[in-house]
């Protein structure tokens, strides 16, 4: 639609202005006219012009070049075409230096003008399209940072869309770093709750009593330090989605409380006597096998079935290796932009290494590895050397000898203790090294009672 | 009653006026009649350029309007607007007046032997084009449609002396509105 594009014709000669405007209007553009630089500036303040035809010589006040400079200050995207009856090299150079797109001597060949306008509009249309696509892409990355050509993952994404607008509880299972929260966000943001809050709670990171007040809020005076009534995550997520990460780790008491909210859609704040109604969709996630936990009596069966209305099982990265090149490319672009380093890709050798590695920490580990490689690399392409730390870990694993009489749990405990020592107690760093997420690390620290 | 007038600005052959009238009657589906010849506006000639100011001509046409219809005017003069080297014609978009210059429609203008058939076809095409503008139509992207923009005689010859289906529909709609407004 040409009518989207506004054109301004500026000339002190009224006949010149109006006849040119009429000619352009026949081509479907919206055209305004101004008979002085001052008038042109006033018009430009009111709406953006794609193109401005500007007479170089205008008596009194601002001349063409001054007006052009002012117009470009108001809207730098306006393409200014300077027109003049007397061509001199000096004025042409001056006009171009100040940012004129073209310089024409009147009278112009109609064909020349027609082609020129078409060319400028074509570029503008491409620019606009580019801007739009960028925005769309950005949105996609924000909500759907899920890149895959794996059939299982694609089925999961399709399911995600199908269930997005339902109210049913979803249970997402998958190892650390497989993108459980990403899927939860995708469900929320593609459904009709998208405009309402998405609230995320990591159940493993908090002690039982803290988690309780975190989820349900508390009344003033419920406990020491409860100075005012405070809303919990259920209330904050009202109308939207509550994402409960590491649900497998909550205490039996909280399991009961949670079951009650899911059934009744109402709850009591800690220390409260009044029921609070809520409309929240719960998406829960765990890396544990909850069925097994139910069998062992660690997890309530009725809660499990409440949560497990729709089950999504995310495959670990080693079971979707075909996604590694795609993910690598995407992560390099994203992280490269974030750290402002122009990295174009990885060498074949480095890709082989990435493909062969077992990725216990899944996509999160891949992300950390790429970030580390980008930060430390010196060239514009990531080589095997930049990923040497992965090779070391592979080698270390193959050369390592298991101490005798050691249980798996003791082994895990040792690994966490040593890693925490190495990172001087930095949880985030230790979690990255261990290839698990922070909440899992917290949970294990709690489980093994590791002093910090 | 809403109607169409065909008029000459200065000297125009009766034959050319007849072509314009016949073409307008057929394509715009309105009663068409002749207006008395309109005098060439004094001072419209630009000595430096050796051409006539299109805007002055259009204003003269508007002034001679009887007030009950649009006017399709023909001139033999080579017309221009200050910004451009020449025009085949000019119209008020959705307005009263449309003007077609026959000067550059003739083969002789390009140093070629006269060709009545080619000239007639070009004249019909331009009458439809400028007439279409007077009814509010804008340029058509279809190079074969009379409403497409021609900035050279080569482009003009690519056009048919007829509207494409889309412009025909749009024109019929505008003519219907025009009739409705006037009655």
């Amino acid at each position: 639609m040409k009518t989207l594009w506004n054109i301004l014709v500026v000339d002190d000669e009224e006949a010149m202005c109006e006849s040119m405007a009429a000619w352009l209007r026949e081509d479907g553009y919206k055209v305004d006219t101004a008979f002085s630089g001052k008038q042109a500036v006033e018009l430009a303040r009111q709406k953006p012009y794609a193109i401005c035809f500007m007479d170089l010589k205008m008596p009194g006040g601002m001349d063409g070049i001054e007006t052009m400079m002012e117009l470009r200050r108001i809207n730098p995207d306006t393409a200014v075409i300077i027109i003049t009856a007397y061509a001199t090299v000096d004025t042409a150079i001056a006009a171009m230096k100040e940012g004129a797109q073209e310089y024409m001597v009147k009278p112009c060949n109609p064909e020349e003008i027609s082609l020129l306008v078409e060319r400028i509009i074509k570029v503008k249309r491409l620019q606009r399209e580019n801007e739009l696509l960028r925005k769309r892409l950005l949105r996609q990355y924000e909500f759907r940072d899920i890149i895959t050509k794996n059939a299982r993952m694609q089925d999961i994404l399709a399911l995600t869309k199908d269930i997005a607008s339902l109210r049913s509880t979803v249970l997402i299972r998958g190892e650390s770093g497989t993108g459980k929260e990403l899927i939860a966000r995708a469900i929320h943001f593609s459904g009709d709750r998208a405009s309402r809050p998405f609230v995320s709670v990591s159940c493993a990171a908090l002690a039982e009593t803290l988690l309780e007040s975190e989820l349900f809020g508390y009344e003033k005076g419920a406990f020491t330090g409860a100075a005012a009534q405070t809303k919990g995550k259920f209330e904050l997520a009202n109308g939207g989605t509550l994402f409960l990460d590491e649900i497998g780790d909550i205490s039996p008491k909280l399991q009961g409380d949670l079951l009650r909210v899911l059934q009744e859609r109402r709850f009591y704040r800690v220390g409260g006597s009044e029921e609070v109604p809520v409309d929240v969709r719960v998406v829960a996630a765990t890396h544990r096998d909850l069925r097994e936990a139910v069998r062992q009596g660690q997890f309530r069966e009725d809660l499990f079935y409440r949560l497990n209305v729709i089950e999504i099982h995310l495959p670990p990265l080693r079971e979707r290796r075909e996604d590694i090149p795609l993910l690598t490319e995407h992560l390099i672009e994203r992280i490269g932009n974030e750290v402002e380093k122009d990295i174009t890709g990885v060498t074949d050798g480095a890709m082989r290494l990435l493909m062969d590695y077992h990725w216990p920490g899944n996509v999160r580990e891949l992300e950390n590895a790429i970030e580390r490689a980008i930060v430390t690399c010196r060239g514009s392409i990531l080589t095997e050397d930049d990923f040497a730390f992965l090779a070391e870990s592979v080698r270390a694993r193959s050369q390592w000898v298991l101490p005798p009489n050691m249980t798996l749990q003791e082994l895990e405990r040792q690994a966490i203790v040593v890693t925490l020592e190495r990172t001087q107690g930095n949880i985030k760093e230790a979690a990255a090294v261990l290839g698990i997420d922070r909440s899992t690390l917290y949970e294990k620290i709690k489980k093994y009672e590791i002093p910090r | 009653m809403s109607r169409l007038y065909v008029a000459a600005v200065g000297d125009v052959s009766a034959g050319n006026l007849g072509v314009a009238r016949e073409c307008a009657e057929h394509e715009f589906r309105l009663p068409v009649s002749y207006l008395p010849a309109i005098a060439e506006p004094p001072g419209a000639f630009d000595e430096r350029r050796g051409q006539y100011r299109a805007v002055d001509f259009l204003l003269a046409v508007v002034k001679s309007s009887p007030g009950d219809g649009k006017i399709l005017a023909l001139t033999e003069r080579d017309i221009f607007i200050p910004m451009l080297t020449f025009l085949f014609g000019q119209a008020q978009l959705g307005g009263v007046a449309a003007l077609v210059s026959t000067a550059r429609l003739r083969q002789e203008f390009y140093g070629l032997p006269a060709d009545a058939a080619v000239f007639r076809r070009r004249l019909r095409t331009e009458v439809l084009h400028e007439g279409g503008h007077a009814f509010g139509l804008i340029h058509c992207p279809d190079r074969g449609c009379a409403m497409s923009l021609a900035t050279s005689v080569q482009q003009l010859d690519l056009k048919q002396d007829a509207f494409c289906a889309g412009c025909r529909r749009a024109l019929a709609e505008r003519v219907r509105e025009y009739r409705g407004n006037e009655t």
Side-chain angles (χ1 to χ4, degrees):
Chain A
M1 277 290 287
K2 285 177 169 174
T3 41
L4 282 173
W5 307 101
N6 294 307
I7 298 182
L8 180 63
V9 183
V10 191
D11 198 313
D12 59 304
E13 265 181 73
E14 200 176 325
M16 148 76 205
C17 241
E18 291 299 348
S19 59
M20 181 66 186
W23 191 77
L24 288 163
R25 280 184 197 121
E26 289 179 355
D27 219 4
Y29 298 105
K30 281 182 81 84
V31 191
D32 292 327
T33 52
F35 307 133
S36 70
K38 192 165 163 265
Q39 202 186 348
V41 170
E42 278 165 19
L43 283 171
R45 286 212 174 94
Q46 288 159 29
K47 64 171 136 171
Y49 290 99
I51 302 177
C52 174
F53 287 93
M54 175 91 59
D55 188 24
L56 192 60
K57 284 208 160 58
M58 284 185 289
M62 303 165 85
D63 71 9
I65 290 188
E66 282 171 329
T67 311
M68 172 182 75
M69 287 163 71
E70 192 54 36
L71 289 192
R72 287 182 55 82
R73 250 195 298 278
I74 296 167
N75 181 6
D77 291 337
T78 302
V80 180
I81 301 167
I82 289 283
I83 37 183
T84 176
Y86 329 91
T88 68
V89 176
D90 287 351
T91 52
I93 291 174
M96 300 307 269
K97 261 190 186 165
E98 296 305 336
Q101 188 124 356
E102 286 287 338
Y103 181 91
M104 303 187 89
V105 181
K106 67 182 171 186
C108 320
N109 188 326
E111 195 174 7
E112 213 178 317
I113 292 219
S114 173
L115 288 175
L116 176 63
V117 171
E118 232 170 78
R119 203 179 69 214
I120 293 175
I121 294 293
K122 195 173 165 185
V123 172
K124 292 206 173 280
R125 193 171 293 132
L126 285 173
Q127 281 170 344
R128 188 174 281 193
E129 195 177 288
N130 182 289
E131 204 177 303
L132 249 148
L133 287 173
R134 266 173 194 278
K135 273 188 194 151
R136 200 174 300 164
L137 218 59
L138 206 69
R139 260 205 309 276
Q140 200 178 6
Y141 284 161
E142 268 169 14
F143 303 142
R144 297 282 186 104
D145 207 353
I146 303 157
I147 286 166
T148 187
K149 54 179 180 180
N150 174 276
R152 252 170 86 192
M153 284 297 287
Q154 275 171 354
D155 285 349
I156 289 170
L157 292 182
L159 177 68
T160 301
K161 276 189 202 133
D162 291 343
I163 60 168
S165 288
L166 305 178
R167 201 189 167 277
S168 318
T169 309
V170 183
L171 181 64
I172 305 170
R173 271 183 59 204
E175 290 180 16
S176 289
T178 46
K180 296 187 286 291
E181 180 160 348
L182 228 45
I183 291 288
R185 280 180 189 276
I187 292 171
H188 174 78
F189 286 107
S190 32
D192 49 22
R193 289 174 180 258
S195 59
R196 309 308 304 262
F198 175 88
V199 177
S200 170
V201 187
S202 172
C203 302
L206 298 166
E208 186 192 325
T209 47
L210 264 177
L211 182 59
E212 191 186 2
S213 52
E214 182 82 4
L215 286 177
F216 303 114
Y218 48 85
E219 295 290 349
K220 186 177 171 182
F223 47 82
T224 318
Q229 188 201 67
T230 303
K231 282 183 179 169
K233 301 287 190 191
F234 265 105
E235 271 181 280
L236 293 174
N238 200 9
T241 305
L242 179 64
F243 176 58
L244 297 173
D245 201 0
E246 303 303 352
I247 192 80
D249 300 299
I250 60 173
S251 69
K253 181 190 178 295
L254 266 177
Q255 288 179 29
D257 292 347
L258 198 56
L259 180 66
R260 191 170 171 279
V261 191
L262 291 176
Q263 278 173 340
E264 321 254 324
R265 297 184 189 179
R266 51 187 68 239
F267 63 91
Y268 292 99
R269 292 193 193 99
V270 175
S273 54
E274 233 183 80
E275 279 195 313
V276 183
V278 275
D279 165 29
V280 166
R281 181 192 200 165
V282 171
V283 177
T286 179
H287 69 282
R288 290 178 62 179
D289 184 352
L290 281 191
R291 266 174 233 276
E292 184 55 33
V294 169
R295 249 193 305 276
Q296 291 182 0
Q298 294 166 348
F299 202 81
R300 285 178 72 137
E301 193 175 15
D302 43 5
L303 178 59
F304 173 72
Y305 286 112
R306 266 285 157 193
L307 292 172
N308 201 31
V309 179
I310 299 161
E311 189 183 9
I312 292 176
H313 188 186
L314 290 178
L317 186 56
R318 61 184 172 279
E319 284 175 30
R320 43 181 278 229
R321 286 188 194 273
E322 69 270 42
D323 283 342
I324 292 175
L326 266 179
L327 284 163
T328 303
E329 191 186 323
H330 163 71
L331 290 168
I332 285 176
E333 197 192 327
R334 204 193 71 198
I335 300 169
N337 280 338
E338 281 170 14
V339 302
E340 292 182 356
K341 257 188 153 176
D342 196 9
I343 305 289
T344 52
V346 297
T347 60
D348 289 350
M351 184 50 82
R352 259 196 308 277
L353 186 72
L354 296 178
M355 289 295 277
D356 287 342
Y357 186 63
H358 60 298
W359 300 114
N362 295 295
V363 184
R364 185 184 293 115
E365 191 187 1
L366 175 64
E367 190 179 341
N368 292 342
I370 286 172
E371 183 168 2
R372 181 166 165 184
I374 287 180
V375 169
T376 54
C377 95
R378 288 166 188 272
S380 65
I381 192 154
L382 302 179
T383 65
E384 267 174 281
D385 288 347
D386 296 316
F387 290 104
F389 55 94
L390 287 181
E392 268 166 37
S393 117
V394 173
R395 222 177 4 256
R397 200 159 47 105
S398 56
Q399 287 169 355
W400 184 68
V401 182
L402 182 72
N405 305 324
M406 195 169 213
T407 64
L408 196 57
Q409 292 203 342
E410 183 51 29
L411 199 65
E412 191 173 60
R413 185 181 192 282
Q414 286 286 335
I416 294 168
V417 169
V418 172
T419 310
L420 280 170
E421 274 170 16
R422 282 188 191 153
T423 62
Q424 294 167 333
N426 185 323
I427 295 287
K428 189 179 171 190
E429 225 174 289
V433 171
L434 290 164
I436 56 178
D437 65 15
R438 269 190 293 173
S439 51
T440 311
L441 182 56
Y442 275 119
E443 170 235 331
K444 289 186 189 296
I445 290 169
K446 199 166 74 180
K447 179 176 162 191
Y448 296 127
E449 296 174 337
I450 296 167
R452 287 173 58 206
Chain B
M1 188 179 171
S2 50
R3 47 188 316 127
L4 263 181
Y5 293 102
V6 168
V9 184
D11 288 334
V12 176
S13 80
N16 290 349
L17 288 171
V19 169
R21 177 178 178 161
E22 183 260 330
C23 172
E25 243 163 12
H26 186 256
E27 297 289 341
F28 297 106
R29 315 251 163 167
L30 283 169
V32 181
S33 47
Y34 289 123
L35 275 185
I38 301 160
E40 276 178 11
F45 184 64
D46 185 310
E47 277 187 26
R48 205 168 40 85
R49 294 182 58 153
Q51 291 173 301
Y52 292 80
R53 291 186 182 88
V55 174
D56 292 7
F57 271 51
L58 263 185
L59 286 175
V61 174
V62 173
K63 263 187 214 153
S64 64
S65 163
D68 61 348
K70 295 183 189 285
I71 307 167
L72 266 167
L74 299 192
T75 171
E76 301 269 337
R77 305 297 194 186
D78 186 20
I79 55 172
F80 78 97
I81 58 172
M83 182 67 189
L84 301 180
T85 45
F86 73 94
L87 290 172
F88 288 124
Q90 197 173 29
Q92 296 175 301
L93 194 66
V96 171
L99 174 72
V100 174
S101 157
T102 57
R104 290 177 189 247
L105 304 182
R106 297 177 195 283
Q107 287 290 69
E108 302 92 294
F109 187 90
Y110 307 97
L112 297 167
D115 187 325
V118 168
F119 171 77
R120 192 185 150 87
R121 194 180 120 109
R122 288 175 185 165
L123 177 56
R124 285 176 51 87
T125 309
E126 278 310 284
V127 165
L128 295 188
H129 185 93
E130 298 307 335
H133 279 323
F135 279 97
L137 297 194
I138 57 168
H139 290 153
C140 175
D142 178 351
R143 280 278 177 217
C145 173
M147 280 320 292
S148 80
L149 169 65
T151 51
S152 66
V153 77
Q154 287 83 357
Q155 279 177 1
L156 176 54
D157 284 344
L158 286 177
K159 301 203 275 185
Q160 305 282 328
D161 50 353
F163 295 111
C164 71
C167 288
R168 188 181 299 279
R169 257 199 310 279
L171 178 70
E173 181 67 28
R174 298 297 168 89
V175 171
R176 219 178 5 257
E177 278 169 24
Y178 179 57
R179 277 207 190 108
N181 286 344
E182 300 274 317
T183 49

